[in-house]
Amino acid sequence: CSLATFLPLFVVYRATALYENAGSWKNIIWGLWLYFGAQLAKLMLIALLFSSFEVGPKFIASHELIKLVLGSVDVAAIFFAIKQTSGNSTLFYRLLAIALGWSISHHIAYYLPGYWIHARSLQFTYDSLLEAVSSQLALMVLLCLPFLTYVALKKSDHHRASSVLASMGIFLVLSSEGLVKFLVAFKGFDLPIVFGAQFICALSVVGITRAVWTATQKATRKHETKNG
């Protein structure tokens, strides 16, 4: 299960030729450490402002709203990473490197402790297998988040429509877990429904990301040609 969770990260690194771009490791490390910094900042905000907040499997509307607010910390951290990273890499590979570093940290923090606990158990359960499948869907979403953040926060008149759509994509990323909890609360834990909802959310985020990134690149080239 650990192999199924972490091997795709290496596949992304090799398949996208990220290792051939200068400065990629620096950008990956930026994304990796900023993830932990963002989670620490969210913990501090919870302790200071939302002391009654609890993370659990039940759907509680107020708690999901707080999670959306806290999700802005992740977006801010990713945008900070985009502004700080540089090098000879193109913008696409800079964003991809940040996304990969962010995904590595998320998988280590979110999945590895559970695998360790289950590995020490005397009885096998399918929880780890479900987590491995869930990690693939999470990876799809996390790889898109820096691209959506860049487009949503880019200040440009000819990117306005793409920025709005990218903002909708970010909202879907931050609210996807809450949507799944809502389905579980409404329908009960039905495995096909849960993973179906996760799969649809992941595909929707990927589709939005591809659309806004393509539109942004076309608009940028058109703008440069007009001014050039």
Side-chain angles (χ1 to χ4, degrees), residues 12-224:
V12 170
Y13 177 72
R14 297 290 297 185
T16 58
L18 194 59
Y19 63 95
E20 296 179 355
N21 287 266
S24 290
W25 267 108
K26 179 182 177 181
N27 297 335
I28 290 174
I29 292 173
W30 260 108
L32 193 151
W33 286 112
L34 277 175
Y35 174 87
F36 289 111
Q39 308 320 302
L40 179 60
K42 288 195 287 187
L43 289 175
M44 293 176 63
L45 285 175
I46 291 173
L48 292 173
L49 303 176
F50 309 109
S51 57
S52 62
F53 177 77
E54 295 181 1
V55 177
K58 293 183 179 181
F59 176 81
I60 302 176
S62 59
H63 289 186
E64 297 304 323
L65 182 61
I66 292 174
K67 286 180 64 176
L68 279 175
V69 175
L70 294 174
S72 61
V73 176
D74 291 337
V75 176
I78 290 174
F79 188 68
F80 176 78
I82 294 171
K83 289 296 185 181
Q84 294 299 314
T85 54
S86 59
N88 298 325
S89 300
T90 62
L91 176 62
F92 174 83
Y93 284 106
R94 282 171 54 203
L95 297 177
L96 183 61
I98 293 170
L100 186 60
W102 192 272
S103 301
I104 291 171
S105 295
H106 174 269
H107 280 39
I108 291 174
Y110 195 85
Y111 297 106
L112 197 58
Y115 291 156
W116 174 255
I117 293 172
H118 293 156
R120 293 172 60 88
S121 176
L122 297 177
Q123 183 178 2
F124 174 79
T125 66
Y126 288 95
D127 292 343
S128 295
L129 293 176
L130 298 179
E131 290 290 331
V133 175
S134 177
S135 71
Q136 309 308 314
L137 301 177
L139 178 60
M140 294 170 60
V141 172
L142 292 174
L143 289 177
C144 294
L145 189 54
F147 291 90
L148 293 172
T149 300
Y150 173 80
V151 175
L153 300 180
K154 184 176 177 61
K155 296 181 179 180
S156 178
D157 291 336
H158 58 282
H159 290 155
R160 188 169 298 172
S162 297
S163 297
V164 173
L165 187 57
S167 299
M168 294 173 60
I170 292 174
F171 175 80
L172 182 58
V173 171
L174 299 180
S175 63
S176 58
E177 186 178 348
L179 291 174
V180 172
K181 287 183 179 180
F182 175 77
L183 284 175
V184 172
F186 182 70
K187 298 285 291 185
F189 186 82
D190 190 333
L191 191 60
I193 292 180
V194 170
F195 279 97
Q198 291 179 338
F199 185 69
I200 291 173
C201 286
L203 284 185
S204 299
V205 170
V206 171
I208 292 173
T209 303
R210 182 175 181 179
V212 299
W213 183 252
T214 301
T216 299
Q217 295 305 298
K218 288 182 178 179
T220 300
R221 287 193 294 267
K222 184 178 180 180
H223 183 71
E224 291 175 351

